[in-house]
Amino acid sequence: MTARRYVTCGILTLAMALFLTAGALAGNDRSGTANAPATATTAAASGKQDEAALRIEGERRFRANCGRCHQAPHKFPPRMMATIIRHMRVRATLTDEDMRLILQYMTQ
Amino acid sequence: MRLDLEGTSGTSRKKPGVRGSRIRPIGITRAASQMAMRCLAVLCLLGIPAVACAQSEPLDFDNIKPVPVFSAGVGFITAFQGGTPNLDPLVSPVILVPLGQNWLIESRDTFESDLAPPPDGIGYKGVLEKEVDYLQVDYIANPYLTVTVGRFLTPFGIFNERLYPIWIRDLQSDPLILPIATGPSGAQTGAMLRGGFSITPRVEMNYATYFSTLSTINRIDSDRDAGFRTGLFFPGPRVEIGGSFQHLLQDDHSNAFGFHFEWQPPSTSLDLRAEYARSHNGSGYWIEPAYKLTNAPIWRHELRHVQLVGRMQQFFTGTVVDDDLPVLNTNMFEFGMNYYFRDDIRFVSSYGRQFATGGNENVWTLGLTYRVALPLGHGDVQ
């Protein structure tokens, strides 16, 4: 096998592995990922204190993530913010949990 | 915008710095620049309602239906390269169309012009250049994986995908190594898998892996290649380290690789970014610290809007000449000062000196950049 094929196969294997891992993790994850938001939702319902804690966590994640590439933006109307966060999730490879907490923070 | 530094590049695929060519006498050009300033002012006003209508009520964020968004980077830069003034107006509209819970169609085009004095010295000339930067469909398959198909920005290093837009970059010139492995016009045509997830609460991992086909179609050209980029982000100290690799599946089947580093210490307003890239076309690096004077001991109110930037870079030629890269070993230093009126509108300025065996050169830039973002429908939850 030539070096070229090696590299191509390597990349394809890596892609496959990522796909499979992602799929497997996603299977677990329905509970796992939803964990943060689910925790978030339950917590929010369970009282004002938890809501404040979520807001603080959302703000922390906003500060850690949204000024990394450009100046941290101001708030936009909620439906617009949802699109922007989806865009940034893809572009900035933000985690699902970051995305949800930041969206919640930015629409409050 | 890609400022080309005279004498370092030959003819380029996406010709940096040479854009724009409606032949006009200088008087009309001045009118054109006034017009561009007016457009900027109007766009600023358009942006204000978006800020004004941000809500203060908590919302059930899972049920927020995203609305299509129009956004654009707008800039008017005057560059003096080796003493010659160039006027560079640029508009780069982005359209975002979310579909359902998991889909996003996104595109960005760039319209730019580089108006320079012709050899006879009368007026300014240039052509209007149009480019489809990307046009892609994203499917968020699960929290770990997003599948993208279409034309997308090459995820090699950090500048091309993350820092390129005129309203984001701290210095208006491109790093010398930018053309390494980013492909013709910085984009690929094919498919990409990408995502980001937490490994532990203190470490997040991100990745992007892609395959691109050869396209020779004007404005949407790309190479046939495959590659990946991965990074580890530490949200506590706000550090990212990562690496990129690309294998060309055409011509000489060469490889390219690179590393990147980003650090934004939480306690200060410092951004430190650096990148290294190497291919058979050459190798080099850039280091760019940017510091916002948020804690200046005097005039804090005025100075907190000021950002000081520096960039040091070196490029070393490779075994195969690439028209977009300098043809000689080159060193360059740049210093900039930006004034942020808001997070989305700023005045930019910089001075740079380039040292190459073929001759040294000064590069000055002055300008205004703006990012507009508007909902294409009701932005508020009804």
Side-chain angles (χ1 to χ4, degrees):
Chain A
M1 191 147 77
T2 63
R4 189 184 100 208
R5 279 207 191 122
Y6 252 121
V7 177
T8 319
C9 289
I11 289 172
L12 287 177
T13 321
L14 183 82
M16 287 285 285
L18 281 171
F19 229 134
L20 293 174
T21 327
L25 289 170
N28 295 337
D29 190 63
R30 293 282 142 208
S31 49
T33 24
N35 223 349
T39 326
T41 329
T42 347
S46 77
K48 285 245 180 286
Q49 229 177 3
D50 294 341
E51 205 176 88
L54 269 182
R55 190 173 318 127
I56 291 168
E57 185 57 17
E59 184 176 354
R60 199 182 64 78
R61 304 226 183 183
F62 171 79
R63 291 194 187 286
N65 285 289
C66 299
R68 271 168 67 194
C69 304
H70 45 66
Q71 297 293 305
H74 52 258
K75 291 185 179 180
F76 292 95
R79 293 183 61 200
M80 189 177 166
M81 204 68 237
T83 310
I84 289 170
I85 294 287
R86 191 179 289 185
H87 187 207
M88 288 305 107
R89 178 202 183 140
V90 176
R91 176 61 62 87
T93 47
L94 292 182
T95 68
D96 192 60
E97 192 178 311
D98 285 344
M99 188 200 76
R100 284 165 181 273
L101 287 163
I102 294 170
L103 179 58
Q104 192 177 36
Y105 165 71
M106 293 294 276
T107 49
Q108 270 169 357
Chain B
M1 120 162 194
R2 298 181 176 215
L3 290 179
D4 190 16
L5 305 167
E6 241 171 65
T8 57
S9 305
T11 49
S12 68
R13 296 168 286 188
K14 178 176 182 178
K15 185 66 178 138
V18 181
R19 302 153 288 235
S21 156
R22 287 143 297 169
I23 301 170
R24 285 173 178 168
I26 188 158
I28 298 181
T29 309
R30 278 205 193 112
S33 50
Q34 279 170 2
M35 183 69 121
M37 290 301 179
R38 274 183 213 141
C39 290
L40 269 177
V42 170
L43 286 167
C44 296
L45 289 174
L46 278 174
I48 290 166
V51 192
C53 47
Q55 287 211 342
S56 56
E57 283 291 298
L59 293 158
D60 176 4
F61 70 98
D62 265 340
N63 291 326
I64 300 173
K65 197 168 171 282
V67 68
V69 167
F70 167 84
S71 106
V74 186
F76 190 84
I77 308 290
T78 308
F80 297 87
Q81 291 175 216
T84 317
N86 289 44
L87 306 175
D88 297 321
L90 177 147
V91 180
S92 197
V94 175
I95 304 279
L96 305 172
V97 182
L99 299 172
Q101 290 290 314
N102 300 317
W103 295 84
L104 179 68
I105 301 174
E106 46 169 320
S107 86
R108 186 177 80 199
D109 301 282
T110 295
F111 303 89
E112 60 180 348
S113 189
D114 180 38
L115 307 166
D120 63 12
I122 302 167
Y124 278 66
K125 288 181 186 170
V127 279
L128 176 70
E129 292 213 349
K130 296 162 234 143
E131 188 94 34
V132 180
D133 297 334
Y134 61 82
L135 172 56
Q136 64 191 65
V137 180
D138 308 314
Y139 172 63
I140 301 170
N142 61 51
Y144 303 93
L145 174 71
T146 297
V147 181
T148 293
V149 291
R151 179 173 169 79
F152 50 86
L153 298 174
T154 313
F156 187 94
I158 46 173
F159 198 89
N160 189 47
E161 208 194 31
R162 300 181 179 178
L163 306 171
Y164 190 84
I166 193 165
W167 61 273
I168 295 183
R169 50 173 67 207
D170 291 334
L171 289 167
Q172 290 304 317
S173 62
D174 290 343
L176 298 169
I177 56 168
L178 177 65
I180 294 181
T182 45
S185 28
Q188 310 282 326
T189 315
M192 168 166 65
L193 308 177
R194 60 192 290 142
F197 49 88
S198 301
I199 303 177
T200 73
R202 290 180 185 182
V203 188
E204 291 174 9
M205 185 182 170
N206 60 64
Y207 69 91
T209 176
Y210 58 92
F211 169 79
S212 167
T213 56
L214 175 69
S215 164
T216 50
I217 304 168
N218 189 18
R219 293 194 191 119
I220 50 163
D221 47 354
S222 61
D223 287 338
R224 185 162 192 273
D225 54 31
F228 68 85
R229 183 190 63 203
T230 182
L232 288 178
F233 176 57
F234 303 87
R238 297 188 195 160
V239 169
E240 175 167 334
I241 45 170
S244 313
F245 175 79
Q246 188 189 75
H247 178 67
L248 205 57
L249 296 164
Q250 63 183 51
D251 305 332
D252 58 359
H253 294 266
S254 59
N255 295 328
F257 66 89
F259 301 102
H260 66 261
F261 173 80
E262 288 183 291
W263 183 37
Q264 293 184 310
S267 50
T268 68
S269 310
L270 175 73
D271 294 344
L272 182 62
R273 302 189 175 99
E275 230 185 308
Y276 169 84
R278 182 181 190 93
S279 77
H280 63 164
N281 299 124
S283 64
Y285 67 89
W286 57 266
I287 301 172
E288 188 183 289
Y291 185 68
K292 229 172 161 191
L293 303 176
T294 39
N295 284 322
I298 48 161
W299 302 327
R300 192 171 292 185
H301 187 70
E302 291 74 27
L303 289 178
R304 73 199 158 99
H305 299 287
V306 175
Q307 184 189 42
L308 301 177
V309 196
R311 189 198 281 156
M312 193 224 147
Q313 52 183 335
Q314 277 193 295
F315 176 78
F316 307 99
T317 50
T319 47
V320 178
V321 175
D322 178 328
D323 287 341
D324 283 346
L325 287 163
V327 290
L328 301 167
N329 289 350
T330 306
N331 297 345
M332 191 164 178
F333 297 91
E334 280 163 282
F335 302 95
M337 198 190 76
N338 301 328
Y339 186 91
Y340 283 84
F341 297 97
R342 297 192 325 203
D343 63 81
D344 52 358
I345 180 161
R346 61 184 185 167
F347 163 80
V348 293
S349 64
S350 75
Y351 163 74
R353 184 147 180 89
Q354 179 188 299
F355 303 89
T357 345
N360 301 341
E361 194 178 60
N362 290 334
V363 184
W364 293 87
T365 61
L366 273 183
L368 269 181
T369 70
Y370 179 53
R371 184 214 66 223
V372 62
L374 298 167
L376 298 174
H378 286 291
D380 289 319
V381 176
Q382 301 293 307

